Amino acid sequence: MKLLALPAFSDNYIWLLHDKGRAVVVDPGQAQPVLDALEREHLQLEAILITHHHADHVGGVQSLREQTAAKVYGPERETMPEPLARLHAGDGVQALGLEFRVIDVPGHTAGHIAYFCAAPAGLDPILFCGDTLFSGGCGRLFEGTPEQMLASLDALAALPPATQVCCAHEYTLSNLKFARAVEPGNADLTRYIAHCEDLRSRNVPTLPSHISLELQINPFLRTRVPAVIAAAERIDPSARGPSGHLAALRQWKNQF
Ligand code: ZN
Ligand code: FE
């Protein structure tokens, strides 16, 4: 079993998981990076998993459908390149002999879903979370409320600590710059920034991250930590409760 991050556009990753000559891809915004990888690794595409409707996540689906035998899966409530199998919370996709369990994570878009694979042979658990959770950050609230995003992030934070977090964008360094402004005294964060700066200077992806790490450094998963609450209330003195603090952080980040 192997997990690859295929670069697409300027900062997207299309995640590809493969085993015994068969592959699954997640959010193929472009077809060509996937076709190149299938040819290079001699793989047959078995399934395409989609997290949400944005063009940088679905743009390559029709072309891949025409050129492979892949079955397409996506969220129940979003406009998608048809036909596809529609999924909602608790559904499971069977592919590569594995189960990918669907988690509802509204907030970035109204119907956004994530896929969790508990036991990929020889690898730690894997989460494909689209634009909901990023390393050091979270997606913009285009279609959802802070309450929804908080519940979505709480559901992801409750996954096993060793879970590999496969985000759809390389936003880590800019997220961490913001995280440092929120929590200048967080030593884990300072260490992680140095690590990620080194990776990016060598053009290596900072992903996948891990749930255990995100709990230490991601302000959007730390809305119940006193230092984060204090920072959120400096920006918006009227902010109350974890969703109010998350809303204040998200507003601040939008202008950061
Ligand atoms: Zn998006
Ligand atoms: Fe995106």
Side-chain angles (χ1 to χ4, degrees), residues 12 52 54 56-57 108 131 134 168-169 171:
N12 283 68
H52 69 293
H54 287 159
D56 63 312
H57 299 251
H108 177 67
D131 288 355
F134 294 120
H169 291 272
Y171 288 162

Side-chain angles (χ1 to χ4, degrees), residues 34-47:
V34 177
L35 294 169
D36 292 346
L38 295 175
E39 186 174 313
R40 187 172 66 238
E41 313 270 339
H42 310 289
L43 304 171
Q44 276 216 319
L45 190 61
E46 186 174 330

Side-chain angles (χ1 to χ4, degrees), residues 8 55-56 61 112 121 140 157 179 186 194 206 236 241 249 253:
D56 63 312
V61 170
H112 201 305
R140 282 178 187 254
N186 182 334
T206 59
D236 178 1
L249 292 178
K253 173 74 165 65

